[in-house]
Amino acid sequence: MLKFLTRLRGRRRAAVVILLGAFAALAMAPVNFSPSLLISFTGFCLILDSAVADKTFGRKIQMAAWLGWCFGFGYFLAGLWWIGSAVLVDGWTYAWALPFAVAGLPAGLGLFWALAAAGTVPFWRSNAEKILSLVVFFTLAEYLRGHILTGFPWNALGYAAMPTPLFMQSASVLGLWGVTLLTVLVASSPALFFLPAAGSRKWQSAAVLLFAAAALAGQMAFGLWRLAQPLPAARDTAPVMLRLVQPNISQRDKWREGNEETVFQTYLDLSAEPGLDQIDALIWPESAFPFLVLQNSNALSRIDALLPKGVMLLAGAVRVRPPDSALPQSPPDLKFYNSLVAFNDRAEPVRFYDKQRLVPFGEFMPFMDILERFGIANLVNVPGGFASGTGSNLMDPGPATASGPLDAALPPMRVMICYEAIFPGFAAADHDGLSASGGNDSGSGERPAQWIVNLTNDAWFGQLSGPYQHFQQARMRAVEEGMPMIRVANTGISAVIDGFGRVEQSLRLGTKGIIDTALPEALPGTFYSRFRDIPFALLMTLLSTILIISRIFGKPRGFR
């Protein structure tokens, strides 16, 4: 096998590298076969090593960039192919976009890995430098992928190292990007057993292997230790009781003209299951209403009739500003928001959170003025697309009962709507220090929020890989912050997740039902919640410094 990889040339070499990238995607949900990453990165390292040997520096850069792109294209194609299902929700209306969704996005994302592979070339000398350069540049590429333009950190390599709660706990210290660094290190290190030994010092390779082994063992040991910690003591007050509603309505049925009453009645029927009077808050998923509920007095009256005294409704809804605008004869400056609306028990909207991280080409159209000239429009049928919200995602829902006492209110929460759950650190994204309720979120040492609410609608992607991957990434936000997450999805996966990332209750993808649950207690603030990406930055600085010093002062034996 080793000779086969190193003797590959031309198209056969590119095809094998694409297949290696595709194999690496098996490390992601729902398969979670983490060893695939070790095999793929080891194979890529060996092919890259043979491909750049005995070439000029410029030619090495070109070859490395090409192979890095092939590796990334295979990875993102195999991991994101399911996105194509979203463009077929409305039949063949957007079928023209299918090639762009299935192949165009992976091709674009592959450019990050192309730059990463090209960046390793100046440091591609001793075997230890080869591995460390892969770690530094591929981690940097993944970090940039999560931040450049609007950022798209979906299926970041670090998730491969965190398939179960045991291995997730390292995210509470290092965050996603720190774990990504260690993941690439562990995945690439086996190549040291197969790379040519000429020009390398054994002690350097041994040091890298030891570092990788320590990272893997340390992650497991830390997970065992953290999961053994006692849970926080319960509050003196009665537990907060929640009802999660998963209606399992397909995207096509939800927005079919004339089906509004059926959809709305499905929510009302599920919500009215016995025991509603024992609940503090009823929670519906993202964009639950197939109409503008705040402009629909009949719907508000029926919600009022549904809610017992003291029960609040948290629901995803499209809201429009200014709210008193006549529809459909609306002014040109009308803005639509993908929001979470908190209703008190009289169906009065008392708090709002407007989604800030919007899905490109789904909820808003980059360069919309230009693209609309070619007939290209958003997948979401909202005039002009959604507007982005501002401020903090901290929401203090206030009392459930109109004019009720404040001590009867739900605990303050962090809100993440759908796509926002894939961004590390967004659970504390205070852009201007103001909460969604208008209060200030600064100063005190105690965390202002006690739980995370994640509303989502993954019906766009049927029962393919996407909803499983989205769910896995959302769980990581709970671990990073040490806060329980209440995740409510239209078609699934709805779940109650504790601060360790453990799923206490869930509804399977593609099923209808409710979950009645007590809100889990929040854990003490995590290292990551206090210091964010500082540990990751220190690790990157350390490895980068070692590489630079080795490049300037070191010269491996036999190096030509």
Side-chain angles (χ1 to χ4, degrees):
M1 181 59 71
L2 177 60
K3 290 183 178 179
F4 169 76
L5 293 176
T6 56
R7 290 178 180 176
L8 289 169
R9 297 293 184 273
R11 294 179 180 176
R12 292 182 64 192
R13 177 162 58 195
V16 170
V17 172
I18 290 174
L19 289 175
L20 284 172
F23 187 65
L26 294 178
M28 299 298 154
V31 180
N32 290 320
F33 182 61
S34 299
S36 70
L37 213 63
L38 281 75
I39 298 169
S40 297
F41 264 87
T42 297
F44 173 73
C45 184
L46 298 178
I47 292 175
L48 179 62
D49 186 64
S50 63
V52 302
D54 301 321
K55 289 182 173 62
T56 63
F57 184 78
R59 183 61 180 151
K60 287 181 179 182
I61 292 286
Q62 294 175 10
M63 181 58 68
W66 165 242
L67 293 178
W69 181 86
C70 290
F71 194 41
F73 177 72
Y75 176 77
F76 294 115
L77 179 65
L80 300 174
W81 62 271
W82 48 267
I83 289 180
S85 64
V87 304
L88 299 179
V89 166
D90 291 328
W92 295 100
T93 304
Y94 296 100
W96 58 267
L98 190 60
F100 298 96
V102 175
L105 179 61
L109 295 176
L111 295 175
F112 287 96
W113 286 22
L115 292 174
T120 66
V121 170
F123 305 95
W124 203 261
R125 305 193 311 169
S126 72
N127 288 346
E129 287 175 298
K130 293 171 184 177
I131 299 304
L132 290 182
S133 64
L134 280 174
V135 174
V136 168
F137 286 100
F138 269 83
T139 302
L140 180 60
E142 287 290 85
Y143 179 83
L144 293 176
R145 178 165 71 89
H147 291 81
I148 286 181
L149 298 179
T150 61
F152 187 67
W154 196 286
N155 280 359
L157 289 170
Y159 290 116
M162 300 183 287
T164 65
L166 174 64
F167 292 100
M168 289 177 184
Q169 304 313 308
S170 52
S172 68
V173 177
L174 299 175
L176 174 62
W177 306 119
V179 176
T180 295
L181 184 150
L182 298 182
T183 301
V184 180
L185 172 66
V186 173
S188 304
S189 293
L192 290 169
F193 294 106
F194 306 104
L195 287 167
S200 295
R201 293 181 171 87
K202 291 183 179 180
W203 71 266
Q204 293 177 335
S205 297
V208 173
L209 285 170
L210 183 62
F211 185 20
L216 185 60
Q219 183 182 28
M220 182 179 295
F222 179 73
L224 289 170
W225 172 80
R226 191 162 190 261
L227 291 177
Q229 300 305 301
L231 294 173
R235 300 184 186 94
D236 294 334
T237 57
V240 176
M241 298 301 299
L242 308 171
R243 171 167 290 181
L244 288 55
V245 176
Q246 179 171 300
N248 191 35
I249 301 169
S250 73
Q251 193 67 11
R252 188 172 299 178
D253 289 341
K254 180 176 181 178
W255 296 106
R256 189 172 67 244
E257 187 175 356
N259 205 35
E260 296 87 354
E261 172 61 25
T262 301
V263 171
F264 186 43
Q265 191 62 47
T266 299
Y267 279 99
L268 296 177
D269 291 344
L270 283 171
S271 301
E273 290 283 332
L276 181 59
D277 56 343
Q278 304 299 314
I279 297 297
D280 294 299
L282 185 64
I283 309 180
W284 293 358
E286 178 190 18
S287 58
F289 306 94
F291 48 79
L292 295 173
V293 65
L294 299 181
Q295 279 74 34
N296 192 318
S297 58
N298 176 60
L300 293 174
S301 296
R302 292 165 71 181
I303 294 173
D304 182 16
L306 167 73
L307 298 176
K309 181 177 176 60
V311 177
M312 175 169 278
L313 170 64
L314 306 177
V318 175
R319 76 183 190 107
V320 62
R321 294 174 62 187
D324 56 350
S325 300
L327 296 172
Q329 292 78 23
S330 56
D333 60 347
L334 195 66
K335 292 184 178 181
F336 293 86
Y337 294 86
N338 186 354
S339 306
L340 182 151
V341 181
F343 297 91
N344 65 19
D345 59 7
R346 293 183 183 173
E348 298 168 340
V350 293
R351 297 287 189 274
F352 305 97
Y353 167 73
D354 299 323
K355 185 177 181 182
Q356 300 172 27
R357 292 271 195 170
L358 302 177
V359 181
F361 303 101
E363 294 176 312
F364 81 99
M365 183 67 68
F367 315 111
M368 183 171 62
D369 293 340
I370 298 174
L371 294 177
E372 283 187 341
R373 297 175 187 174
F374 298 92
I376 300 175
N378 293 311
L379 295 179
V380 177
N381 190 20
V382 173
F386 284 113
S388 177
T390 58
S392 168
N393 63 350
L394 175 69
M395 176 182 281
D396 183 354
T401 303
S403 303
L406 287 177
D407 58 4
L410 294 174
M413 60 191 179
R414 293 288 182 180
V415 182
M416 293 188 290
I417 299 179
C418 192
Y419 185 64
E420 293 176 328
I422 74 171
F423 293 94
F426 189 79
D430 296 312
H431 303 293
D432 59 10
L434 295 178
S435 74
S437 61
N440 191 278
D441 180 18
S442 60
S444 69
E446 185 177 347
R447 285 185 296 174
Q450 296 300 313
W451 55 311
I452 300 171
V453 173
N454 175 212
L455 306 186
T456 189
N457 176 27
D458 290 345
W460 288 98
F461 309 113
Q463 297 187 45
L464 304 177
S465 302
Y468 293 99
Q469 294 172 2
H470 196 193
F471 177 63
Q472 186 76 353
Q473 294 172 63
R475 290 174 69 186
M476 224 55 62
R477 306 293 83 84
V479 179
E480 289 167 350
E481 305 299 330
M483 286 195 289
M485 172 179 285
I486 302 300
R487 188 175 195 266
V488 186
N490 173 15
T491 55
I493 305 167
S494 299
V496 181
I497 305 165
D498 72 7
F500 295 113
R502 297 178 297 201
V503 179
E504 296 190 353
Q505 295 186 64
S506 66
L507 290 170
R508 293 194 307 273
L509 184 64
T511 61
K512 178 193 294 188
I514 62 172
I515 295 176
D516 286 349
T517 181
L519 176 65
E521 296 293 329
L523 304 178
T526 64
F527 191 88
Y528 177 79
S529 70
R530 291 192 291 268
F531 298 101
R532 297 299 169 192
D533 287 326
I534 291 178
F536 161 68
L538 292 176
L539 279 173
M540 282 290 287
T541 301
L542 174 63
L543 294 185
S544 300
T545 302
I546 292 173
L547 267 182
I548 293 171
I549 291 175
S550 178
R551 182 67 180 84
I552 295 174
F553 299 104
K555 185 174 182 180
R557 294 175 297 176
F559 181 74
R560 297 191 301 272

